[in-house]
Amino acid sequence: RGRRLGRGGLVIVDEFGGQYEEGFEDVHTEIVNYFTYKATSTVLHQLYEMNPPAYTWLYNYVVVNDPKEGKHFLVALAKERQDLAERVMITRLHLYSKWIKKFDHAKMYEKISNENLEIMRQRLMETVAWPTDDTNTSDTAK
Amino acid sequence: RGRRLGRGGLVIVDEFGGQYEEGFEDVHTEIVNYFTYKATSTVLHQLYEMNPPAYTWLYNYVVVNDPKEGKHFLVALAKERQDLAERVMITRLHLYSKWIKKFDHAKMYEKISNENLEIMRQRLMETVAWPTDDTNTSDTAK
């Protein structure tokens, strides 16, 4: 549709007749995908202690299938091991509920704002003209 | 620290003396990184229309530097083009504010829950034993 993917799936807009869509559906998909990954990691941890054969199986599965693909990952996993897919699905919903109880919008805003400031401060420090070590180097060369 | 990274940075726990940490700092970093990426995409779009040389520069920069690296990406960008780094930083904070106003916890929970159900339903449909087309194939072979 006149769009192509750059590095990391970045959408580069090639078409400029239409307007730029400003939705957040992509953010939600990103979050769901991340919780799928986090849930898979949690299930792997539990299996390591409780069910080593299932751990080994899932570990090997994850080497070739990326949990960050979210729904796609789960659909494929359900075909191979429905029990494990169900477990990951239940876990991601559980983790999401836990997270949302703790999530603080204002703190997150502050976190981003502080990081922005920190990057600017760091940049400022770099642009200060410190005395260089070039003279020392030429001294040594003598 | 006894952990190693699997595909997609998945943390595989190798050490089981300690307990499993269940924090959400990783989720927050993921969200900030995603907004950095989304902001870069937005700035690219604006530059395309308003400042083609800057667009070309940033486009080429993004080909080799991944905006999803968030802070790391911005620190490096600030060294090259402080103006563009500032613009991406301001944009990510702005996008975050817009998003948080629309974000609905309950809807998101429902979205994950519905996706889980859909995957199970899909799996169920697949496991129903439909009459196969094998007989037709052998008929054709005759």
Side-chain angles (χ1 to χ4, degrees), chain A residues 118-133:
Chain A
E118 194 192 325
I119 292 163
M120 293 308 291
R121 209 175 294 129
Q122 198 172 318
R123 183 67 201 125
L124 187 68
M125 292 303 287
E126 282 164 6
T127 50
V128 172
W130 302 107
T132 64
D133 278 354

Side-chain angles (χ1 to χ4, degrees), chain A residues 4-16 18-38 40-42 44-45 48-49 55 59 62-71 74-75 78-80 82 85-86 88-90 92-100 102-113 115-120 122-124 126-127, chain B residues 4-16 18-38 40-42 44-45 48-49 55 59 62-71 74-75 78-80 82 85-86 88-90 92-100 102-113 115-120 122-124 126-127:
Chain A
R4 60 206 166 83
L5 295 179
R7 187 189 165 90
L10 189 76
V11 172
I12 309 297
V13 183
D14 282 336
E15 215 177 46
F16 298 91
Q19 80 260 49
Y20 187 60
E21 304 125 277
E22 258 287 22
F24 292 105
E25 208 39 56
D26 57 333
V27 175
H28 300 149
T29 302
E30 194 73 12
I31 293 173
V32 175
N33 288 353
Y34 191 76
F35 273 100
T36 309
Y37 157 82
K38 196 171 170 67
T40 306
S41 185
T42 303
L44 261 179
H45 174 82
Y48 188 95
E49 294 183 325
Y55 167 82
Y59 178 88
V62 161
V63 170
V64 280
N65 298 278
D66 189 353
K68 282 194 181 162
E69 288 179 3
K71 188 182 170 186
L74 287 169
V75 167
K79 284 183 193 171
E80 302 274 339
Q82 193 171 335
E86 274 180 52
V88 172
M89 285 191 275
I90 292 163
R92 70 177 183 163
L93 200 57
H94 171 72
L95 286 174
Y96 176 80
S97 315
K98 272 183 77 174
W99 171 64
I100 219 59
K102 291 187 185 180
F103 184 49
D104 181 333
H105 296 172
K107 260 194 194 159
M108 184 80 169
Y109 183 91
E110 209 178 272
K111 180 190 162 86
I112 299 175
S113 183
E115 196 177 279
N116 282 357
L117 282 172
E118 194 192 325
I119 292 163
M120 293 308 291
Q122 198 172 318
R123 183 67 201 125
L124 187 68
E126 282 164 6
T127 50
Chain B
R4 58 206 168 86
L5 296 178
R7 188 189 166 91
L10 190 76
V11 172
I12 308 298
V13 182
D14 282 336
E15 216 177 44
F16 299 90
Q19 79 262 46
Y20 187 58
E21 303 126 278
E22 257 287 21
F24 292 104
E25 208 40 54
D26 57 334
V27 176
H28 300 149
T29 302
E30 193 73 13
I31 292 173
V32 175
N33 288 352
Y34 191 77
F35 273 100
T36 309
Y37 157 83
K38 196 171 170 68
T40 306
S41 186
T42 302
L44 262 178
H45 174 82
Y48 187 95
E49 295 182 326
Y55 167 82
Y59 178 88
V62 161
V63 169
V64 279
N65 298 278
D66 189 352
K68 282 194 181 163
E69 287 178 7
K71 188 182 171 185
L74 287 169
V75 167
K79 284 183 194 171
E80 302 273 340
Q82 193 171 336
E86 274 181 52
V88 172
M89 284 191 277
I90 292 163
R92 71 177 183 164
L93 200 58
H94 171 73
L95 286 175
Y96 176 79
S97 315
K98 273 185 76 175
W99 172 64
I100 219 59
K102 292 187 183 178
F103 184 49
D104 181 332
H105 296 172
K107 259 195 194 160
M108 184 80 168
Y109 183 92
E110 208 178 273
K111 180 189 160 87
I112 300 174
S113 183
E115 196 176 280
N116 282 356
L117 283 172
E118 194 192 325
I119 293 163
M120 293 308 290
Q122 198 171 319
R123 183 69 200 125
L124 187 68
E126 282 165 4
T127 49

